[in-house]
Amino acid sequence: MGEFKVHRVRFFNYVPSGIRCVAYNNQSNRLAVSRTDGTVEIYNLSANYFQEKFFPGHESRATEALCWAKGQRLFSAGLNGEIIEYDLQALNIKYAVDAFGGPIWSMAVSPHGSQLLVGCEDGSVKLFQITPEKIQFERNFDRQKSRILSLSWHPSGTHVAAGSIDYISVFDVKSGSAVHKMLVDRQYMGVSKRKCIIWGVAFLSDGTVISVDSAGKVQFWDSATGTLVKNHLIANADVQSIAVSDQEDSFVVGTAEGTVFHFQLVSVTSNSSEKQWVRTKPFQHHTHDVRAVAHSPTALISGGTDTHLVIRPLMEKVEVKNYDAALRKITFPHRRLISCSKKRQLLLFQFAHHLELWRLGSTVATGTVESMCLLAVSPDGNWLAASGTSAGVHVYSIKHLKLHCTVPSYNFPVTALAIAPNTNNLVIAHSDQQVFEYSIPDKQYTEWSRTIQKQGFHYLWLQRDTPITHISFHPKRPMHILLHDAYMFCIIDKSLPLPNDKTLLYNPLPPTNESDVIRRRTAHAFKISKIYKPLLFMDLLDERTLVAVERPLDDIIAQLPPPIKKKKFGT
Amino acid sequence: MVEEDSVRVVRCGGSELNFRRAVFSADSKYIFCVSGDFVKVHSTATEECVHILQGHRNLVTGIQLNPNNHLQLYSCSFDGTIKLWDYIDGILIKTFIVGHKLHALFTLACAEDSVFVIINKEKPDIFQLVSVKLPKSSSQEIEAKELSFVLDYINQSPKCIAFGNEGEYVAAVRDFYLSVYFFKKKTTSRFTLSSSKNKKHAKNNFTCVACHPKEDCIATGHKDGKIRLWRNFDDDKKYTYTCLHWHHDMVMDLAFSVMGTSLLSGGRESVLVEWRDATEKNKEFLPRLGATIEHISVSPAGDLFCTSHSDNKIIIIHRNLEASAVIQGLVKDSNIFTGLMIDPRTKALVLNGKPGHLQFYSLQHDKQLYNLDIIQQEYINDYGLIQIELTKAAFGCYGNWLATVEQRQEKETELEMQMKLWMYNKKTQGFVLNTKVSMPHEDHITALCFCNAEKLENPTLVTASKDGHFKVWILTDDSDIYKKAVGWTCDFVGSYHKYQATNCCFSEDGSLLAVGFEEIVTIWDSETWELKCTFCQRAGNIRHLCFGRLTCSKYLLGATENGILCCWNLLSCALEWSAKLNVRVMEPDPHSENIAAISQSSVGSDLFVFKPSEPRPLYIQKNISREEVQWGVFVPRDVPESFTSEAYQWLNRSQFYFLTKSQSLLTFSTKSPEEKLTPTSKQLLAEESLPTTPFYFILGKHREQQDEKINEALESELVQLPLTENIPAISELLHTPAHVLPSAAFLCSKFVNSLLLSKETKSCEETPEDVDMEEEKESDDSDVENDFTEKTQDTNDTDLGEDIIHQLSKSEEKELRKFRKVDYSWITVL
């Protein structure tokens, strides 16, 4: 589809922050992720794992704990000692409450969702009542000697397990007194090491407490007697996180070596009811510490210092082997961080706390202040299309400053939209990889869009796992739509026939040794290039010039702290 | 007088002990291992072979304890039979004829009357697991034709089949899948691993399987060294597995401990790994086991493990991972460079053993005597490494000296070579390194020989090399002011027209040395090292060269590569005769004029035995082996045989052993197969072979279990009882096979009653001594049972007593002895 001069930009020095907490909400099938810079992201797992909401972070608000409460309310707590509630509609912070216990290390919502428990630096465990508008301090539990690093409620809500340094306490919620204190062995590979930090606890309904600690152990305790039942040494480094499934038949732990272990409750023999916890599969999808894990009914979710969010489906829970059964690794945000001025040849880079403006061909960096995020694209003329967090797209007339029309709503959130220069056709990409073309003057979908919806997209196109983040048009070729996701760049030629599932979707662009006949016969509307990856932005500067912004993963990894060194056999 | 049957080629021990997993007896006192056509019973405490269970006519492929009677052992063989043995007495109880070639055997406690075997049906590569119903019958040979099919398309190796949870299911692995068959539900679940397409999983192949004894857990070993522990496998969807990864190469075998608390694994690393609680971090090692672990087995009592290794040894290991005993068979290395030799001192067979070692192997006892480390360097076990090879070895001066050559050649031009001379040290009873010569020649040494003449003041060694020289090395005084010492130095270097020296050989009296230079044979005087004469037949390079012996010492024999065997007369310096024979192996008998030559043809190998003086062979045996014969040797007999027939006379003084390409050690035997079976059948027919009475046989047996009171009571009475072969109770007792006998309590009263009838004590006094005499005579015979030796010791004690009180009259003294025994027994009874 023609040749372009390409500006291959690799100077976008973007480093995503490491993931600190992950909280999964089963009711809405959403995942909240907080990063070390305080950013909180909401992923909609039903909408193709699309990152639909985003709360920019602040250095003073490093989150240490994140949890969902009843009625889709999201709370976070951090080392500044405040409990924060987020407003998921307005996308801002509703309020912040100081717990007055020093930095907060842990937080847990009661099984009924009405109470909030925080563990503080000074060893106190504080119970808050969640009221419809706010949270209200209710009571302190017995104060412990050292900081409370982890908390877990018994599913009945009567007891709470709290992990501290060198011991685990079990509290009675009614009285607030410690019932048991379970001392954890400091032994580390046979030698007594420094203090043993309980990074995570989980309280099961049968009274078992599972703890993970800095000595690499996963331990099972009987909370009724306060005794150790079983010990699994799984790592040479810290085990930092634990998450149990709702059915309590499996749980997942993450270690500082980047390994995620899956434990399952399996019956000892097929004809007996006796069951035991067995470590089953290890997953090594991370290079650095796995700081947070979550267990959805069908997948294991993990995130850590290496900034990847990994969603690993459990094959036995997946009904159909489709695209959802594939492993997902989300590294880059699902929004555009770069804009480009075609006339002035400028690139604007958005970072967490600042912006950078670059002139192509020169290297002058100018910094400005605030962080911003919203999805809106203005056309060349007089239309404005806006998409909120809900899936609908509204088109406004700038001339009259009023709503012109609303594009029929669709289940999946919009990931990118653009209005074509001459025809005023609105092109919308959704998180399930569907692309629509809507004619603003006619207030209806175009003929091409109807054909492609009738025929359906190629199955390989629908299986792509990063959302389309940018759409643009060729000024001289109105039949072309240019769009890209993180791993491919595509030009859709509306004049060519659409591919069906039998045709090759990814054809090499210039088939030099094939005859024109074959080329013409195999040609279809989708011209896909995978030369640039990971591709954060691509646009036309002018008719013959493209600008592509790449961010190689190796460059990001080079800026991360070094991982725990592991001996590799044969090296 | 030995009955002369036709000469047959037989296996003579040195068989693979590591062919199948070894099996422990229920009390861990014995360990059973397959050994060619036999099953060997070893004591776990002393390593000694207790019994050899002989009876199969082909390779034994599986052994298992009888789950319903732990004193019995099942074995199966390629000959299509399953045999049931009483291993304590070494008696064959029953033979079940199945008919198919049986590849492996499994028994289950819950399947009382059937066993499982692997057979192959129709196509050669398709193996099936079938269950065989063993009919109950009193006869010795029973046809068991009732087969029921269990699993198809399985791997033929028994390591790839395992039964779990007391026979609820059977797991089989092959290539990339694990199939589990549930007997109750009659369903098969199959789990497939991603195969070779993906480079990461290229070596995912299953290699072995084991089932947890208490839990529903299957452990599988893989080619890439991983161990997978499968659980929930009764559900096709919810199945799950864990990986344990320590081995860097293929997992050869897996075994769970009796309670399932730990898993044992082994492979080419020669390290036994114990995974406690089946967790990755909790593992123990037993390293440096010497060779690849091929099999692992666990004793039913749980106190012992054993590993079978690729160097044909079985190591018995305590529960705390300490090796306690080693049962070492003939080490089978694929490269035998040294050939077969006989150590003149121990009469042991000497050949390449473990890498870098010479092994001394006793043919009489079928066990390795010891290993001599020649290279004395750590062996690094890895593919593609070029190792130092022990290429030549020779004994000289009646076993006082041993010469060895080792070499390593990485590139064409980089040859590293060492010759070592070892002196026998009488004090330490072993060889001690005396002289080390690095690069004794510029090129490969092709032959090495000592001068073994009887009257020789100076030990002499000759080496021939491809560099065109032969060197004469003599022992010289190497003393200095510090110590007295001897050492070897080069005395003479000879060559002939720059031809490569390919062979060398001393005449019997040591006066002449023959050196082959490619096509030419040169004769040198060993006094002056003068070239005496040359022979050249222009029939290709000389491959073998040897002088005739005794009356034929004037002849020199040479075999060439073009298939010509020449015999030269050294007196006339002329060719005496020549024959067209493609000789592979030519060995002279040290005790006679005979020379054995083995020729190779497309069909197989043929043996020719001849005297150099006449071109007509004494004996020809066609087709001794289908394979190529690599080496042969004459082993002098301890006791000469006396074959009269001309054809077998060559076997009188020595026995001829040969080694084929597949490392089977074979020899010639004149004994009929039935005769070879005697040890087992003899015991059933005990009363016929013993000259006097079966009583003493029982007496001997019973003494082993002296704590049984009944037996002692019996014994005390036996002394005074008359000997009668015709007491029905006794003959019944002896003729009935042990496994159908009623309980001892029931037999006892009947037996005692039968003895009480007789009151005469006249004749019995004479017989014991007669028996003693005979038995002592017989004890030389190797066939005598252990019981006999115990018994002779016993009687020796009484003999001593006789010497001290020899003044007493004979009758008085017997009276005394009788009383003494009676009293003693009564005390113990009380």
Side-chain angles (χ1 to χ4, degrees), chain B residues 44-64:
Chain B
T44 52
T46 62
E47 310 166 10
E48 288 300 317
C49 179
V50 183
H51 284 296
I52 298 176
L53 308 180
Q54 311 187 2
H56 282 294
R57 285 162 193 274
N58 206 335
L59 215 58
V60 179
T61 51
I63 44 175
Q64 292 290 337

Short mmCIF file of all heavy atoms in Angstrom, two decimals, chain B residues 44-64:
data_model
loop_
_atom_site.label_atom_id
_atom_site.label_comp_id
_atom_site.label_asym_id
_atom_site.label_seq_id
_atom_site.Cartn_x
_atom_site.Cartn_y
_atom_site.Cartn_z
N THR B 44 21.41 -59.92 50.73
CA THR B 44 21.63 -58.47 50.77
C THR B 44 22.70 -58.10 51.78
O THR B 44 23.28 -57.03 51.70
CB THR B 44 20.32 -57.75 51.16
OG1 THR B 44 19.83 -58.33 52.35
CG2 THR B 44 19.31 -57.83 50.07
N ALA B 45 22.94 -58.98 52.73
CA ALA B 45 23.93 -58.65 53.75
C ALA B 45 25.34 -58.92 53.27
O ALA B 45 26.24 -58.12 53.50
CB ALA B 45 23.65 -59.45 55.02
N THR B 46 25.54 -60.06 52.59
CA THR B 46 26.91 -60.47 52.26
C THR B 46 27.23 -60.30 50.79
O THR B 46 28.35 -60.54 50.39
CB THR B 46 27.10 -61.95 52.60
OG1 THR B 46 26.19 -62.70 51.81
CG2 THR B 46 26.83 -62.20 54.07
N GLU B 47 26.30 -59.94 49.96
CA GLU B 47 26.43 -59.82 48.51
C GLU B 47 26.57 -61.16 47.80
O GLU B 47 26.59 -61.22 46.59
CB GLU B 47 27.66 -58.95 48.10
CG GLU B 47 27.76 -57.64 48.80
CD GLU B 47 29.13 -56.99 48.62
OE1 GLU B 47 29.90 -57.48 47.79
OE2 GLU B 47 29.39 -55.99 49.29
N GLU B 48 26.74 -62.26 48.57
CA GLU B 48 27.02 -63.54 47.93
C GLU B 48 25.79 -64.08 47.22
O GLU B 48 24.65 -63.84 47.64
CB GLU B 48 27.46 -64.57 48.98
CG GLU B 48 28.84 -64.33 49.53
CD GLU B 48 29.92 -64.37 48.45
OE1 GLU B 48 29.88 -65.27 47.59
OE2 GLU B 48 30.79 -63.48 48.47
N CYS B 49 26.07 -64.84 46.15
CA CYS B 49 24.98 -65.47 45.43
C CYS B 49 24.56 -66.71 46.20
O CYS B 49 25.37 -67.59 46.48
CB CYS B 49 25.45 -65.84 44.02
SG CYS B 49 24.18 -66.64 43.08
N VAL B 50 23.31 -66.79 46.59
CA VAL B 50 22.81 -67.90 47.40
C VAL B 50 22.31 -69.02 46.49
O VAL B 50 22.60 -70.18 46.71
CB VAL B 50 21.70 -67.42 48.34
CG1 VAL B 50 21.23 -68.54 49.22
CG2 VAL B 50 22.18 -66.26 49.18
N HIS B 51 21.53 -68.66 45.50
CA HIS B 51 20.98 -69.65 44.57
C HIS B 51 21.00 -69.08 43.18
O HIS B 51 20.93 -67.87 43.01
CB HIS B 51 19.52 -69.95 44.89
CG HIS B 51 19.33 -70.82 46.07
ND1 HIS B 51 19.77 -72.11 46.11
CD2 HIS B 51 18.74 -70.58 47.25
CE1 HIS B 51 19.46 -72.63 47.28
NE2 HIS B 51 18.86 -71.72 48.01
N ILE B 52 21.05 -69.99 42.23
CA ILE B 52 20.78 -69.59 40.85
C ILE B 52 19.58 -70.38 40.41
O ILE B 52 19.59 -71.62 40.46
CB ILE B 52 22.00 -69.87 39.95
CG1 ILE B 52 23.19 -69.05 40.41
CG2 ILE B 52 21.66 -69.55 38.50
CD1 ILE B 52 24.45 -69.32 39.65
N LEU B 53 18.52 -69.70 40.07
CA LEU B 53 17.31 -70.39 39.64
C LEU B 53 17.41 -70.61 38.14
O LEU B 53 17.33 -69.67 37.36
CB LEU B 53 16.08 -69.56 39.99
CG LEU B 53 15.98 -69.09 41.44
CD1 LEU B 53 14.70 -68.29 41.65
CD2 LEU B 53 16.00 -70.27 42.40
N GLN B 54 17.65 -71.87 37.76
CA GLN B 54 17.84 -72.19 36.35
C GLN B 54 16.66 -72.96 35.85
O GLN B 54 16.12 -73.80 36.56
CB GLN B 54 19.10 -73.04 36.17
CG GLN B 54 20.30 -72.46 36.87
CD GLN B 54 21.55 -73.23 36.54
OE1 GLN B 54 21.54 -74.16 35.75
NE2 GLN B 54 22.64 -72.84 37.15
N GLY B 55 16.26 -72.71 34.65
CA GLY B 55 15.14 -73.45 34.09
C GLY B 55 14.59 -72.82 32.84
O GLY B 55 14.11 -73.50 31.96
N HIS B 56 14.71 -71.51 32.73
CA HIS B 56 14.24 -70.87 31.51
C HIS B 56 15.20 -71.19 30.37
O HIS B 56 16.39 -71.36 30.58
CB HIS B 56 14.14 -69.36 31.73
CG HIS B 56 12.92 -68.96 32.50
ND1 HIS B 56 11.65 -69.11 32.00
CD2 HIS B 56 12.78 -68.42 33.74
CE1 HIS B 56 10.78 -68.68 32.88
NE2 HIS B 56 11.44 -68.26 33.97
N ARG B 57 14.65 -71.20 29.17
CA ARG B 57 15.47 -71.51 28.01
C ARG B 57 15.79 -70.28 27.20
O ARG B 57 16.34 -70.38 26.11
CB ARG B 57 14.76 -72.54 27.14
CG ARG B 57 14.82 -73.90 27.74
CD ARG B 57 13.78 -74.83 27.15
NE ARG B 57 13.69 -76.02 27.97
CZ ARG B 57 14.49 -77.07 27.81
NH1 ARG B 57 15.40 -77.08 26.88
NH2 ARG B 57 14.37 -78.10 28.60
N ASN B 58 15.39 -69.15 27.67
CA ASN B 58 15.73 -67.90 26.99
C ASN B 58 15.84 -66.82 28.05
O ASN B 58 15.61 -67.08 29.23
CB ASN B 58 14.66 -67.55 25.95
CG ASN B 58 15.21 -66.71 24.83
OD1 ASN B 58 16.20 -66.00 25.03
ND2 ASN B 58 14.59 -66.77 23.68
N LEU B 59 16.16 -65.63 27.60
CA LEU B 59 16.36 -64.51 28.50
C LEU B 59 15.19 -64.34 29.48
O LEU B 59 14.04 -64.32 29.06
CB LEU B 59 16.48 -63.25 27.64
CG LEU B 59 17.44 -62.17 28.11
CD1 LEU B 59 18.82 -62.74 28.25
CD2 LEU B 59 17.43 -61.05 27.10
N VAL B 60 15.49 -64.22 30.75
CA VAL B 60 14.45 -63.93 31.74
C VAL B 60 14.15 -62.45 31.66
O VAL B 60 15.05 -61.61 31.66
CB VAL B 60 14.93 -64.31 33.15
CG1 VAL B 60 13.86 -63.98 34.17
CG2 VAL B 60 15.27 -65.78 33.21
N THR B 61 12.86 -62.11 31.55
CA THR B 61 12.50 -60.72 31.31
C THR B 61 11.74 -60.09 32.45
O THR B 61 11.46 -58.91 32.41
CB THR B 61 11.64 -60.60 30.05
OG1 THR B 61 10.59 -61.53 30.17
CG2 THR B 61 12.44 -60.88 28.82
N GLY B 62 11.39 -60.87 33.45
CA GLY B 62 10.68 -60.23 34.55
C GLY B 62 10.63 -61.14 35.75
O GLY B 62 10.53 -62.38 35.61
N ILE B 63 10.77 -60.56 36.93
CA ILE B 63 10.62 -61.33 38.16
C ILE B 63 9.76 -60.53 39.11
O ILE B 63 9.82 -59.30 39.13
CB ILE B 63 11.99 -61.67 38.81
CG1 ILE B 63 12.91 -60.46 38.81
CG2 ILE B 63 12.63 -62.86 38.18
CD1 ILE B 63 14.20 -60.66 39.53
N GLN B 64 8.93 -61.24 39.86
CA GLN B 64 8.08 -60.58 40.86
C GLN B 64 7.84 -61.59 41.98
O GLN B 64 7.73 -62.78 41.73
CB GLN B 64 6.71 -60.20 40.27
CG GLN B 64 6.73 -59.09 39.24
CD GLN B 64 7.06 -57.74 39.81
OE1 GLN B 64 6.89 -57.49 40.99
NE2 GLN B 64 7.57 -56.86 38.97
#
